[in-house]
Amino acid sequence: MTRYREWQSGTRQRRDAKPPVLNPNSGCYPTLYKGQCYKLHGYDRIDIKVFNGTDWVWTTIEITSLRERHTVDSNKLLSPSLIFNEQKKACHLSVPFECHPPQREGEGRVVSVDLGINTTATVAVVNFDGTVIHREFIHPARDIDEVAAAAGTCVQRNGDRRDKRLKSVSKRASKTMGLGGSLQKGFCSHTYRKCRNINRQIGQIVSKRIVQIAQQFNADAIVFENLKGWKAKGGRKRSLLRQRFHGWLKGMIRDLTEMKWQEIGGKVIDVVAPPKSWLMTAVESKGRDGQNYALAKFSSGKRYNADLNGALNIAARGILQLTRRKDSEEPSSQSSRAIA
């Protein structure tokens, strides 16, 4: 309706532009209002007003499964939406809740997360006195492989499936275009949609595990490195490394973790951490390992994990931010998304 009013007022891209029309297949689902469209009877059944072809009638539907948001007394139930799955020919209710969680009181420790290319997320749990009590490398591709192997099935890693699909796009494009050709609109849209779904699955798995670690150790906050505005500089154009940089889920994992952690009263902060090679330079590192780029080799022959070093640096900055006095002379940012 807004675009139609703009068309009526003369705001058009060209003079002979046709008026916009309502698209029934726009993917918008109806909102059910209390008393008019639905009546909830506890959490066992619900009455929904549906159109049977001639009239609007009340239909009773049993509730088969629930999540946990309705068990929190401070959460307020809002108007649900009726979601229809065309492939499975099934419907379900999407019920939003207004959450007001109490502020968490931790035990004087933080969970720092270093997001990388070789390892999806490196997590370190550090006390305020500097003691590292837990560390974990979260790589959902490897974890899914282990689960599939235990189940007796053969499943490719998520990252490999995504990269192979994206790599196949360039081959298909060269065969389609030839020399000096062009691609039609929506070329390989099905492949791109599958890759987006794989990325979303990886983000959900990693963020869920980070929040579980924070709950397990009752952390005061989850600390991330501020990567807003970061752009890939390494790798040649159209190379596999450049493709992996573009598929880096640094923003998705951070946002999903923040949503999950804030819902239970937690706090997420961003810090400007020093480069991962800062500590290795101080001890005369000889560079990265050619077989595993996440490892650094020293002059003594020992190896150190650069991703873990980055997580510890992020934890130190986060602890400094949480324990620093308000009258400190050190600079700080007003934004909770960019804390130095």
Side-chain angles (χ1 to χ4, degrees), residues 8-47:
Q8 286 182 319
S9 63
T11 306
R12 308 174 188 178
Q13 293 183 354
R14 60 181 187 273
R15 184 177 300 178
D16 58 343
K18 295 182 180 180
V21 296
L22 178 64
N23 181 13
N25 296 324
S26 58
C28 299
Y29 300 100
T31 301
L32 307 181
Y33 297 99
K34 187 176 182 180
Q36 303 176 3
C37 301
Y38 84 95
K39 296 178 182 179
L40 185 63
H41 302 285
Y43 294 105
D44 299 327
R45 57 189 176 88
I46 184 174
D47 294 339

mmCIF file of all heavy atoms in Angstrom, residues 8-47:
data_model
loop_
_atom_site.group_PDB
_atom_site.id
_atom_site.type_symbol
_atom_site.label_atom_id
_atom_site.label_comp_id
_atom_site.label_asym_id
_atom_site.label_seq_id
_atom_site.Cartn_x
_atom_site.Cartn_y
_atom_site.Cartn_z
ATOM 1 N N GLN A 8 0.767 6.708 -6.868
ATOM 2 C CA GLN A 8 -0.300 7.675 -7.099
ATOM 3 C C GLN A 8 0.198 9.115 -6.996
ATOM 4 O O GLN A 8 -0.270 9.995 -7.722
ATOM 5 C CB GLN A 8 -1.448 7.453 -6.099
ATOM 6 C CG GLN A 8 -2.302 6.225 -6.397
ATOM 7 C CD GLN A 8 -3.444 6.090 -5.424
ATOM 8 O OE1 GLN A 8 -3.265 6.314 -4.228
ATOM 9 N NE2 GLN A 8 -4.617 5.714 -5.927
ATOM 10 N N SER A 9 1.160 9.355 -6.090
ATOM 11 C CA SER A 9 1.681 10.715 -5.920
ATOM 12 C C SER A 9 2.671 11.106 -7.004
ATOM 13 O O SER A 9 3.113 12.256 -7.032
ATOM 14 C CB SER A 9 2.339 10.855 -4.543
ATOM 15 O OG SER A 9 3.455 9.991 -4.432
ATOM 16 N N GLY A 10 3.046 10.176 -7.871
ATOM 17 C CA GLY A 10 3.940 10.488 -8.972
ATOM 18 C C GLY A 10 5.376 10.070 -8.760
ATOM 19 O O GLY A 10 6.225 10.341 -9.622
ATOM 20 N N THR A 11 5.692 9.409 -7.640
ATOM 21 C CA THR A 11 7.049 8.938 -7.380
ATOM 22 C C THR A 11 7.264 7.626 -8.120
ATOM 23 O O THR A 11 6.937 6.542 -7.624
ATOM 24 C CB THR A 11 7.276 8.754 -5.872
ATOM 25 O OG1 THR A 11 6.958 9.964 -5.197
ATOM 26 C CG2 THR A 11 8.718 8.393 -5.578
ATOM 27 N N ARG A 12 7.770 7.712 -9.349
ATOM 28 C CA ARG A 12 7.925 6.539 -10.212
ATOM 29 C C ARG A 12 9.308 6.557 -10.843
ATOM 30 O O ARG A 12 9.911 7.618 -11.033
ATOM 31 C CB ARG A 12 6.855 6.539 -11.307
ATOM 32 C CG ARG A 12 5.433 6.707 -10.785
ATOM 33 C CD ARG A 12 4.429 6.841 -11.905
ATOM 34 N NE ARG A 12 3.102 7.180 -11.408
ATOM 35 C CZ ARG A 12 2.038 7.393 -12.180
ATOM 36 N NH1 ARG A 12 2.164 7.286 -13.502
ATOM 37 N NH2 ARG A 12 0.870 7.707 -11.648
ATOM 38 N N GLN A 13 9.813 5.365 -11.150
ATOM 39 C CA GLN A 13 11.108 5.269 -11.800
ATOM 40 C C GLN A 13 11.041 5.755 -13.248
ATOM 41 O O GLN A 13 12.006 6.317 -13.764
ATOM 42 C CB GLN A 13 11.617 3.827 -11.750
ATOM 43 C CG GLN A 13 11.944 3.352 -10.340
ATOM 44 C CD GLN A 13 12.506 1.945 -10.325
ATOM 45 O OE1 GLN A 13 12.543 1.282 -11.357
ATOM 46 N NE2 GLN A 13 12.958 1.503 -9.162
ATOM 47 N N ARG A 14 9.933 5.546 -13.906
ATOM 48 C CA ARG A 14 9.737 6.053 -15.263
ATOM 49 C C ARG A 14 8.277 6.480 -15.408
ATOM 50 O O ARG A 14 7.415 6.086 -14.607
ATOM 51 C CB ARG A 14 10.111 5.000 -16.302
ATOM 52 C CG ARG A 14 9.326 3.710 -16.252
ATOM 53 C CD ARG A 14 9.792 2.727 -17.306
ATOM 54 N NE ARG A 14 8.940 1.560 -17.361
ATOM 55 C CZ ARG A 14 9.092 0.481 -16.605
ATOM 56 N NH1 ARG A 14 10.082 0.448 -15.719
ATOM 57 N NH2 ARG A 14 8.260 -0.545 -16.737
ATOM 58 N N ARG A 15 8.014 7.235 -16.450
ATOM 59 C CA ARG A 15 6.700 7.852 -16.586
ATOM 60 C C ARG A 15 5.606 6.827 -16.827
ATOM 61 O O ARG A 15 4.473 6.980 -16.332
ATOM 62 C CB ARG A 15 6.743 8.862 -17.737
ATOM 63 C CG ARG A 15 5.437 9.639 -17.919
ATOM 64 C CD ARG A 15 5.582 10.660 -19.025
ATOM 65 N NE ARG A 15 6.638 11.623 -18.718
ATOM 66 C CZ ARG A 15 6.995 12.607 -19.531
ATOM 67 N NH1 ARG A 15 6.404 12.743 -20.722
ATOM 68 N NH2 ARG A 15 7.967 13.441 -19.186
ATOM 69 N N ASP A 16 5.898 5.773 -17.588
ATOM 70 C CA ASP A 16 4.880 4.780 -17.924
ATOM 71 C C ASP A 16 4.903 3.569 -17.000
ATOM 72 O O ASP A 16 4.479 2.473 -17.393
ATOM 73 C CB ASP A 16 5.057 4.325 -19.372
ATOM 74 C CG ASP A 16 6.454 3.741 -19.613
ATOM 75 O OD1 ASP A 16 7.351 3.983 -18.776
ATOM 76 O OD2 ASP A 16 6.644 3.041 -20.630
ATOM 77 N N ALA A 17 5.440 3.737 -15.775
ATOM 78 C CA ALA A 17 5.514 2.616 -14.836
ATOM 79 C C ALA A 17 4.112 2.193 -14.409
ATOM 80 O O ALA A 17 3.246 3.032 -14.141
ATOM 81 C CB ALA A 17 6.340 3.009 -13.611
ATOM 82 N N LYS A 18 3.899 0.878 -14.350
ATOM 83 C CA LYS A 18 2.601 0.352 -13.944
ATOM 84 C C LYS A 18 2.476 0.378 -12.425
ATOM 85 O O LYS A 18 3.470 0.329 -11.700
ATOM 86 C CB LYS A 18 2.432 -1.079 -14.462
ATOM 87 C CG LYS A 18 2.389 -1.172 -15.970
ATOM 88 C CD LYS A 18 2.161 -2.608 -16.410
ATOM 89 C CE LYS A 18 2.116 -2.708 -17.934
ATOM 90 N NZ LYS A 18 1.896 -4.115 -18.381
ATOM 91 N N PRO A 19 1.262 0.442 -11.907
ATOM 92 C CA PRO A 19 1.093 0.469 -10.438
ATOM 93 C C PRO A 19 1.471 -0.868 -9.818
ATOM 94 O O PRO A 19 1.281 -1.926 -10.437
ATOM 95 C CB PRO A 19 -0.400 0.765 -10.273
ATOM 96 C CG PRO A 19 -1.031 0.271 -11.526
ATOM 97 C CD PRO A 19 -0.022 0.529 -12.613
ATOM 98 N N PRO A 20 2.046 -0.852 -8.615
ATOM 99 C CA PRO A 20 2.391 -2.113 -7.941
ATOM 100 C C PRO A 20 1.132 -2.866 -7.551
ATOM 101 O O PRO A 20 0.090 -2.279 -7.234
ATOM 102 C CB PRO A 20 3.177 -1.645 -6.707
ATOM 103 C CG PRO A 20 2.699 -0.262 -6.454
ATOM 104 C CD PRO A 20 2.392 0.331 -7.797
ATOM 105 N N VAL A 21 1.232 -4.199 -7.584
ATOM 106 C CA VAL A 21 0.096 -5.053 -7.254
ATOM 107 C C VAL A 21 0.456 -5.918 -6.053
ATOM 108 O O VAL A 21 1.628 -6.146 -5.750
ATOM 109 C CB VAL A 21 -0.301 -5.942 -8.456
ATOM 110 C CG1 VAL A 21 -0.773 -5.087 -9.618
ATOM 111 C CG2 VAL A 21 0.874 -6.814 -8.886
ATOM 112 N N LEU A 22 -0.576 -6.397 -5.392
ATOM 113 C CA LEU A 22 -0.381 -7.264 -4.234
ATOM 114 C C LEU A 22 -0.001 -8.656 -4.691
ATOM 115 O O LEU A 22 -0.695 -9.256 -5.525
ATOM 116 C CB LEU A 22 -1.646 -7.305 -3.383
ATOM 117 C CG LEU A 22 -1.606 -8.221 -2.155
ATOM 118 C CD1 LEU A 22 -0.564 -7.738 -1.166
ATOM 119 C CD2 LEU A 22 -2.971 -8.296 -1.487
ATOM 120 N N ASN A 23 1.108 -9.158 -4.156
ATOM 121 C CA ASN A 23 1.568 -10.502 -4.499
ATOM 122 C C ASN A 23 1.190 -11.451 -3.368
ATOM 123 O O ASN A 23 1.726 -11.360 -2.263
ATOM 124 C CB ASN A 23 3.087 -10.486 -4.702
ATOM 125 C CG ASN A 23 3.621 -11.847 -5.090
ATOM 126 O OD1 ASN A 23 2.857 -12.736 -5.446
ATOM 127 N ND2 ASN A 23 4.927 -11.999 -5.019
ATOM 128 N N PRO A 24 0.278 -12.385 -3.601
ATOM 129 C CA PRO A 24 -0.124 -13.292 -2.512
ATOM 130 C C PRO A 24 0.971 -14.264 -2.112
ATOM 131 O O PRO A 24 0.925 -14.828 -1.020
ATOM 132 C CB PRO A 24 -1.332 -14.021 -3.091
ATOM 133 C CG PRO A 24 -1.140 -13.953 -4.570
ATOM 134 C CD PRO A 24 -0.472 -12.643 -4.840
ATOM 135 N N ASN A 25 1.953 -14.490 -2.972
ATOM 136 C CA ASN A 25 3.052 -15.407 -2.663
ATOM 137 C C ASN A 25 4.289 -14.649 -2.189
ATOM 138 O O ASN A 25 5.410 -14.960 -2.559
ATOM 139 C CB ASN A 25 3.404 -16.243 -3.896
ATOM 140 C CG ASN A 25 2.255 -17.134 -4.316
ATOM 141 O OD1 ASN A 25 1.535 -17.640 -3.468
ATOM 142 N ND2 ASN A 25 2.080 -17.312 -5.608
ATOM 143 N N SER A 26 4.096 -13.631 -1.381
ATOM 144 C CA SER A 26 5.208 -12.801 -0.934
ATOM 145 C C SER A 26 5.956 -13.404 0.250
ATOM 146 O O SER A 26 6.956 -12.851 0.686
ATOM 147 C CB SER A 26 4.702 -11.405 -0.549
ATOM 148 O OG SER A 26 3.722 -11.495 0.468
ATOM 149 N N GLY A 27 5.457 -14.506 0.789
ATOM 150 C CA GLY A 27 6.133 -15.126 1.924
ATOM 151 C C GLY A 27 5.737 -14.548 3.263
ATOM 152 O O GLY A 27 6.343 -14.878 4.278
ATOM 153 N N CYS A 28 4.732 -13.684 3.310
ATOM 154 C CA CYS A 28 4.251 -13.109 4.568
ATOM 155 C C CYS A 28 3.185 -14.026 5.158
ATOM 156 O O CYS A 28 2.274 -14.474 4.443
ATOM 157 C CB CYS A 28 3.696 -11.708 4.349
ATOM 158 S SG CYS A 28 4.905 -10.532 3.719
ATOM 159 N N TYR A 29 3.258 -14.290 6.431
ATOM 160 C CA TYR A 29 2.329 -15.197 7.086
ATOM 161 C C TYR A 29 1.388 -14.396 7.988
ATOM 162 O O TYR A 29 1.788 -13.388 8.582
ATOM 163 C CB TYR A 29 3.094 -16.237 7.902
ATOM 164 C CG TYR A 29 4.021 -17.080 7.063
ATOM 165 C CD1 TYR A 29 5.379 -16.812 7.010
ATOM 166 C CD2 TYR A 29 3.525 -18.120 6.289
ATOM 167 C CE1 TYR A 29 6.225 -17.575 6.223
ATOM 168 C CE2 TYR A 29 4.360 -18.887 5.501
ATOM 169 C CZ TYR A 29 5.704 -18.614 5.482
ATOM 170 O OH TYR A 29 6.535 -19.373 4.692
ATOM 171 N N PRO A 30 0.137 -14.839 8.114
ATOM 172 C CA PRO A 30 -0.850 -14.067 8.879
ATOM 173 C C PRO A 30 -0.562 -14.105 10.380
ATOM 174 O O PRO A 30 -0.125 -15.118 10.924
ATOM 175 C CB PRO A 30 -2.173 -14.751 8.541
ATOM 176 C CG PRO A 30 -1.785 -16.152 8.193
ATOM 177 C CD PRO A 30 -0.448 -16.058 7.533
ATOM 178 N N THR A 31 -0.833 -12.985 11.010
ATOM 179 C CA THR A 31 -0.717 -12.868 12.468
ATOM 180 C C THR A 31 -2.076 -13.131 13.094
ATOM 181 O O THR A 31 -3.086 -12.573 12.669
ATOM 182 C CB THR A 31 -0.225 -11.467 12.872
ATOM 183 O OG1 THR A 31 1.044 -11.235 12.259
ATOM 184 C CG2 THR A 31 -0.084 -11.359 14.376
ATOM 185 N N LEU A 32 -2.112 -13.980 14.099
ATOM 186 C CA LEU A 32 -3.352 -14.343 14.771
ATOM 187 C C LEU A 32 -3.499 -13.494 16.030
ATOM 188 O O LEU A 32 -2.621 -13.509 16.901
ATOM 189 C CB LEU A 32 -3.356 -15.832 15.125
ATOM 190 C CG LEU A 32 -3.071 -16.799 13.968
ATOM 191 C CD1 LEU A 32 -3.124 -18.240 14.466
ATOM 192 C CD2 LEU A 32 -4.059 -16.598 12.825
ATOM 193 N N TYR A 33 -4.614 -12.764 16.126
ATOM 194 C CA TYR A 33 -4.846 -11.892 17.265
ATOM 195 C C TYR A 33 -5.735 -12.594 18.285
ATOM 196 O O TYR A 33 -6.669 -13.325 17.942
ATOM 197 C CB TYR A 33 -5.471 -10.575 16.809
ATOM 198 C CG TYR A 33 -4.569 -9.788 15.891
ATOM 199 C CD1 TYR A 33 -4.745 -9.830 14.512
ATOM 200 C CD2 TYR A 33 -3.520 -9.034 16.395
ATOM 201 C CE1 TYR A 33 -3.906 -9.130 13.661
ATOM 202 C CE2 TYR A 33 -2.673 -8.327 15.562
ATOM 203 C CZ TYR A 33 -2.874 -8.381 14.196
ATOM 204 O OH TYR A 33 -2.037 -7.691 13.358
ATOM 205 N N LYS A 34 -5.437 -12.328 19.540
ATOM 206 C CA LYS A 34 -6.119 -13.013 20.636
ATOM 207 C C LYS A 34 -7.601 -12.657 20.654
ATOM 208 O O LYS A 34 -7.979 -11.490 20.533
ATOM 209 C CB LYS A 34 -5.469 -12.639 21.972
ATOM 210 C CG LYS A 34 -5.986 -13.424 23.159
ATOM 211 C CD LYS A 34 -5.221 -13.071 24.414
ATOM 212 C CE LYS A 34 -5.706 -13.888 25.604
ATOM 213 N NZ LYS A 34 -4.957 -13.553 26.849
ATOM 214 N N GLY A 35 -8.452 -13.686 20.802
ATOM 215 C CA GLY A 35 -9.887 -13.485 20.860
ATOM 216 C C GLY A 35 -10.539 -13.469 19.502
ATOM 217 O O GLY A 35 -11.657 -13.981 19.338
ATOM 218 N N GLN A 36 -9.894 -12.887 18.499
ATOM 219 C CA GLN A 36 -10.470 -12.808 17.165
ATOM 220 C C GLN A 36 -10.057 -13.980 16.279
ATOM 221 O O GLN A 36 -10.866 -14.497 15.512
ATOM 222 C CB GLN A 36 -10.047 -11.503 16.495
ATOM 223 C CG GLN A 36 -10.426 -10.255 17.270
ATOM 224 C CD GLN A 36 -9.900 -8.999 16.609
ATOM 225 O OE1 GLN A 36 -9.298 -9.060 15.541
ATOM 226 N NE2 GLN A 36 -10.123 -7.860 17.258
ATOM 227 N N CYS A 37 -8.769 -14.370 16.400
ATOM 228 C CA CYS A 37 -8.240 -15.412 15.526
ATOM 229 C C CYS A 37 -7.816 -16.664 16.275
ATOM 230 O O CYS A 37 -7.695 -17.723 15.660
ATOM 231 C CB CYS A 37 -7.065 -14.878 14.704
ATOM 232 S SG CYS A 37 -7.479 -13.465 13.655
ATOM 233 N N TYR A 38 -7.507 -16.560 17.561
ATOM 234 C CA TYR A 38 -7.099 -17.750 18.308
ATOM 235 C C TYR A 38 -7.523 -17.632 19.762
ATOM 236 O O TYR A 38 -7.672 -16.533 20.314
ATOM 237 C CB TYR A 38 -5.592 -17.965 18.196
ATOM 238 C CG TYR A 38 -4.762 -17.164 19.179
ATOM 239 C CD1 TYR A 38 -4.344 -17.722 20.403
ATOM 240 C CD2 TYR A 38 -4.400 -15.854 18.908
ATOM 241 C CE1 TYR A 38 -3.592 -16.997 21.299
ATOM 242 C CE2 TYR A 38 -3.642 -15.128 19.795
ATOM 243 C CZ TYR A 38 -3.237 -15.693 20.991
ATOM 244 O OH TYR A 38 -2.488 -14.971 21.882
ATOM 245 N N LYS A 39 -7.736 -18.785 20.368
ATOM 246 C CA LYS A 39 -8.035 -18.896 21.794
ATOM 247 C C LYS A 39 -7.157 -20.001 22.356
ATOM 248 O O LYS A 39 -7.267 -21.166 21.942
ATOM 249 C CB LYS A 39 -9.510 -19.230 22.019
ATOM 250 C CG LYS A 39 -10.472 -18.146 21.542
ATOM 251 C CD LYS A 39 -11.914 -18.561 21.747
ATOM 252 C CE LYS A 39 -12.878 -17.511 21.224
ATOM 253 N NZ LYS A 39 -14.297 -17.930 21.399
ATOM 254 N N LEU A 40 -6.296 -19.649 23.286
ATOM 255 C CA LEU A 40 -5.341 -20.603 23.843
ATOM 256 C C LEU A 40 -5.921 -21.225 25.103
ATOM 257 O O LEU A 40 -6.337 -20.518 26.033
ATOM 258 C CB LEU A 40 -4.012 -19.900 24.157
ATOM 259 C CG LEU A 40 -2.857 -20.778 24.636
ATOM 260 C CD1 LEU A 40 -2.457 -21.767 23.561
ATOM 261 C CD2 LEU A 40 -1.659 -19.914 25.031
ATOM 262 N N HIS A 41 -5.920 -22.566 25.154
ATOM 263 C CA HIS A 41 -6.406 -23.310 26.317
ATOM 264 C C HIS A 41 -5.209 -23.985 26.974
ATOM 265 O O HIS A 41 -4.870 -25.137 26.657
ATOM 266 C CB HIS A 41 -7.458 -24.335 25.894
ATOM 267 C CG HIS A 41 -8.637 -23.745 25.188
ATOM 268 N ND1 HIS A 41 -9.638 -23.050 25.815
ATOM 269 C CD2 HIS A 41 -8.951 -23.721 23.857
ATOM 270 C CE1 HIS A 41 -10.539 -22.647 24.939
ATOM 271 N NE2 HIS A 41 -10.139 -23.038 23.738
ATOM 272 N N GLY A 42 -4.562 -23.248 27.883
ATOM 273 C CA GLY A 42 -3.356 -23.771 28.496
ATOM 274 C C GLY A 42 -2.271 -23.915 27.442
ATOM 275 O O GLY A 42 -2.104 -23.065 26.573
ATOM 276 N N TYR A 43 -1.528 -25.010 27.543
ATOM 277 C CA TYR A 43 -0.518 -25.322 26.534
ATOM 278 C C TYR A 43 -0.749 -26.707 25.938
ATOM 279 O O TYR A 43 0.170 -27.344 25.447
ATOM 280 C CB TYR A 43 0.885 -25.249 27.156
ATOM 281 C CG TYR A 43 1.272 -23.849 27.576
ATOM 282 C CD1 TYR A 43 1.264 -23.493 28.912
ATOM 283 C CD2 TYR A 43 1.629 -22.897 26.635
ATOM 284 C CE1 TYR A 43 1.618 -22.201 29.303
ATOM 285 C CE2 TYR A 43 1.973 -21.608 27.005
ATOM 286 C CZ TYR A 43 1.966 -21.269 28.346
ATOM 287 O OH TYR A 43 2.308 -19.989 28.725
ATOM 288 N N ASP A 44 -2.021 -27.138 25.983
ATOM 289 C CA ASP A 44 -2.385 -28.443 25.440
ATOM 290 C C ASP A 44 -3.083 -28.335 24.090
ATOM 291 O O ASP A 44 -2.859 -29.163 23.204
ATOM 292 C CB ASP A 44 -3.274 -29.209 26.418
ATOM 293 C CG ASP A 44 -2.579 -29.466 27.745
ATOM 294 O OD1 ASP A 44 -1.340 -29.645 27.722
ATOM 295 O OD2 ASP A 44 -3.262 -29.483 28.781
ATOM 296 N N ARG A 45 -3.926 -27.317 23.913
ATOM 297 C CA ARG A 45 -4.657 -27.164 22.668
ATOM 298 C C ARG A 45 -4.944 -25.686 22.429
ATOM 299 O O ARG A 45 -4.867 -24.859 23.332
ATOM 300 C CB ARG A 45 -5.962 -27.963 22.695
ATOM 301 C CG ARG A 45 -6.884 -27.604 23.853
ATOM 302 C CD ARG A 45 -8.048 -28.565 23.959
ATOM 303 N NE ARG A 45 -8.890 -28.273 25.119
ATOM 304 C CZ ARG A 45 -9.923 -27.415 25.085
ATOM 305 N NH1 ARG A 45 -10.237 -26.804 23.948
ATOM 306 N NH2 ARG A 45 -10.646 -27.203 26.160
ATOM 307 N N ILE A 46 -5.296 -25.381 21.185
ATOM 308 C CA ILE A 46 -5.567 -24.011 20.775
ATOM 309 C C ILE A 46 -6.681 -24.021 19.744
ATOM 310 O O ILE A 46 -6.759 -24.935 18.912
ATOM 311 C CB ILE A 46 -4.296 -23.337 20.210
ATOM 312 C CG1 ILE A 46 -4.561 -21.873 19.872
ATOM 313 C CG2 ILE A 46 -3.768 -24.077 19.008
ATOM 314 C CD1 ILE A 46 -3.325 -21.109 19.456
ATOM 315 N N ASP A 47 -7.564 -23.031 19.814
ATOM 316 C CA ASP A 47 -8.637 -22.853 18.842
ATOM 317 C C ASP A 47 -8.222 -21.776 17.854
ATOM 318 O O ASP A 47 -7.867 -20.651 18.241
ATOM 319 C CB ASP A 47 -9.945 -22.449 19.529
ATOM 320 C CG ASP A 47 -10.495 -23.551 20.415
ATOM 321 O OD1 ASP A 47 -10.111 -24.710 20.196
ATOM 322 O OD2 ASP A 47 -11.304 -23.246 21.310
#
